[in-house]
């Protein structure tokens, strides 16, 4: 029987929550948050990460989060380092 040189494709499910720009809702100790991953636009803006209180340049991939409840808008959005957001529940900021 001839050997097949075709690669086998594993059709793993796509993790849509990990894609940049997709919003998702996360539950943390301080309530529900709407979270969006940002790739980094590089338009010269600098934010202050509430997790570590360090500057965050907009050319780096990061997380934008805002409270999911209520009529909150642009002033309630916070830009977090990705690692600071991942450690949010441990820090209780």
């Amino acid at each position: 029987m001839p050997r097949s040189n075709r690669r086998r494709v594993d059709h793993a499910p796509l993790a849509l929550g990990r894609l940049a720009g997709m919003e998702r809702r996360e539950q943390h100790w301080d309530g529900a948050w709407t979270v969006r991953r940002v790739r980094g636009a590089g338009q010269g803006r600098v934010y202050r990460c509430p997790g570590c209180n360090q500057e965050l340049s907009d050319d780096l991939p990061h997380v934008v989060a805002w409270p999911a409840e209520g009529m909150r808008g642009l002033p309630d959005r916070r830009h977090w380092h990705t690692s600071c957001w991942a450690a949010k529940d441990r820090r209780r900021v």
Side-chain angles (χ1 to χ4, degrees), residues 15-24 36-40 61-62:
L16 293 176
R18 298 189 64 178
L19 295 176
M22 300 284 299
E23 290 181 12
R24 66 184 180 283
R36 179 185 302 156
R37 292 185 185 272
V38 180
R39 290 187 183 169
H62 61 280

Side-chain angles (χ1 to χ4, degrees), residues 52-69:
C52 65
N53 205 26
Q54 300 293 315
E55 288 186 351
L56 169 63
S57 174
D58 71 342
D59 61 346
L60 297 173
H62 61 280
V63 173
V64 179
W66 60 94
E69 304 299 326

